[in-house]
Amino acid sequence: MIANHEVELAVPGDATGISLLSRNVIEQGLSWSWTRRRVANSIADRSTNVVVVRQENRLAGFAIMKYAESEAHILLLAVHPDQRRKGVGSALLAWLEATARVAGIDLIRLEVRASNAGAIAFYRQNGFREMHRRKRYYQGIEDAVCMARDLWLSS
Ligand SMILES: CC(C)(COP(=O)(O)OP(=O)(O)OC[C@H]1O[C@@H](n2cnc3c(N)ncnc32)[C@H](O)[C@@H]1OP(=O)(O)O)[C@@H](O)C(=O)NCCC(=O)NCCS
């Protein structure tokens, strides 16, 4: 059974844990770009939502989404390896989507590493569709698959 996961806004003290999880499970094989300082700046940025799910006071997962005029862009989303396939990622996405709808956003988009079949399946399962590829998007090393969810078509 999938538990009901509480999604909360991140606080400055979450920056280190988020940046380490990003380095370990998202940016592996690339140079580390989501440093503690960059994550802290996102937490402080009024046009960005940084959210976390905790399990027994430890970081189980997080997501970072930046708002533009009518679109929002998921910059990062990850779940700790020990906490996967329990609905944590879906809970984070559901929170972001509900908040984007309240903010009048039409479209949520994101990029995912082309080799990351698990994440592509996860986003598909959550209503995202593949749009196109961006060649060598990740530090010139790896292609990105660009995905989007149209909130008007999925109310
Ligand atoms: C992708 C990721 C965020 C999924 O998080 P999660 O909490 O395990 O996802 P959920 O439990 O909400 O999964 C919901 C559904 O998505 C699909 N799904 C999730 N992970 C999957 C995988 N590795 N392979 C295939 N389908 C997957 C399944 O349909 C799953 O439902 P099920 O468990 O009942 O079969 C997690 O594996 C992760 O952090 N990966 C590393 C970081 C990453 O790739 N981030 C995304 C790019 S920034």
Side-chain angles (χ1 to χ4, degrees), residues 60-81:
F62 74 90
I64 302 179
M65 183 171 80
K66 189 167 178 63
Y67 288 87
E69 193 70 19
S70 61
E71 291 186 5
H73 188 185
I74 295 178
L75 302 176
L76 285 183
L77 187 152
V79 175
H80 190 282

Side-chain angles (χ1 to χ4, degrees), residues 74-95:
I74 295 178
L75 302 176
L76 285 183
L77 187 152
V79 175
H80 190 282
D82 294 346
Q83 299 294 334
R84 291 188 187 159
R85 306 304 282 262
K86 299 177 181 175
V88 173
S90 298
L92 288 162
L93 268 187
W95 191 100

